[in-house]
Amino acid sequence: MTYWTSEDNVAGKTGTALFIILPTIGCYRFRINEACYMCAYPTAAPKVKWSQEAIVDYVREALKKIEGKKGPFAVRMFTSGSFLDNGELKPETRRKIFEILAELDEVKEIVIESRSELVRHDAVKELAEIVPDKHFEVAIGLETANDDIADVSINKGNTFADFVKAAEITHKAGAKVKTYLLLKPIFLSERDGIEDAKASIIKAEPYTDTFSINITDIQKGTLYERLWEKKEYRPPWLWSAVDVLIWAKKKFPHKRILSDPVGAGSKRGPHNCLTDYDRAIGRAIKKFSATQELSHIENLNPECREKWGYIVENGLLDWQLVTW
């Protein structure tokens, strides 16, 4: 069973998020050998196909984790693909899940994920109308607003124009937009990764209600892993994430800026100098994400910051680094 809870920001307030990985067949692009270069999530899809009824029952089972507890709660559902893909979840399955969530007063926020090309007005509108009093977001993996980086470094299969179209459809259908951005795709220096994230935030801001800064980690069986093993790619410095988060929140104070530094402080995850303090910075980022209070990340111990600053200032590429 893959579901868990964590302190998080729930419709603008500190609360608890319930994360549910739905056992669908996974992303269609993975099945046609066109997966994003950093993504191994579809490999976690079940080997035996679940029935649609079993998936609904799975959601009911997951919701028991917050039963009788104090909210507010967010329910964030992932499918290792797209919630709006009829090949993964049929329309009636999506409706049943939302009807269940509509009855739970303590659930204030619902988030689903979808690729841009699968966002359809009728599908989003139908779900938005079931939960009119809840904060309902469609999370879209833009990753970068630079089409060249999206193609060469990510293999996204989408353009910025595709994202804009999907975001406009989502808003017209009555839902909000969460935009996923990837901090430091492959082939970018640390400096370029920071600059790309900031440029993407500026470009996507008019179409975005919530930003989620996804700090790259190394997933097994991916191109990112192969380059990492050859020491041609290093996951982002945690200082880079802190820099982007502070900048974004100050520039757009009314936007929700979220980040969950998966694997923080490990070689495969975002890290600074791989000391115990790295994990403390990871916890500080999560606390900022839950509260939206910059005080959690503005006055951190500057351990290893000078080394990071030198790398950023000189635009060093990962293969040029003597130590990681």
Side-chain angles (χ1 to χ4, degrees), residues 94-112:
R94 296 195 291 263
R95 284 196 298 271
K96 287 179 182 177
I97 291 171
F98 267 65
E99 286 166 358
I100 293 168
L101 296 174
E103 297 176 0
L104 303 178
D105 291 339
E106 286 296 294
V107 172
K108 306 298 184 183
E109 175 181 325
I110 302 169
V111 181
I112 63 173

Side-chain angles (χ1 to χ4, degrees), residues 36 83-84 87-88 95 103 150 187 263 309 313:
C36 296
F83 193 91
L84 299 176
E88 296 186 62
R95 284 196 298 271
E103 297 176 0
F187 310 133
E313 182 180 351

Side-chain angles (χ1 to χ4, degrees), residues 27-30 32 34-39 41 80-82 113-118 139-163 178-182 185-186 214 224:
C27 183
Y28 82 88
R29 280 181 59 84
F30 185 82
I32 60 172
E34 287 290 347
C36 296
Y37 291 147
M38 72 290 187
C39 184
Y41 292 144
S80 299
S82 296
E113 294 181 335
S114 182
R115 286 181 56 86
S116 296
E117 70 271 22
L118 296 171
I140 302 171
L142 173 61
E143 318 305 354
T144 173
N146 184 310
D147 287 347
D148 290 333
I149 295 174
D151 181 27
V152 175
S153 299
I154 299 173
N155 193 39
K156 189 65 189 181
N158 286 145
T159 63
F160 182 72
D162 294 329
F163 161 78
K178 173 183 280 188
T179 301
Y180 289 150
L181 293 176
L182 186 69
I186 53 174
N214 297 340
Y224 279 49

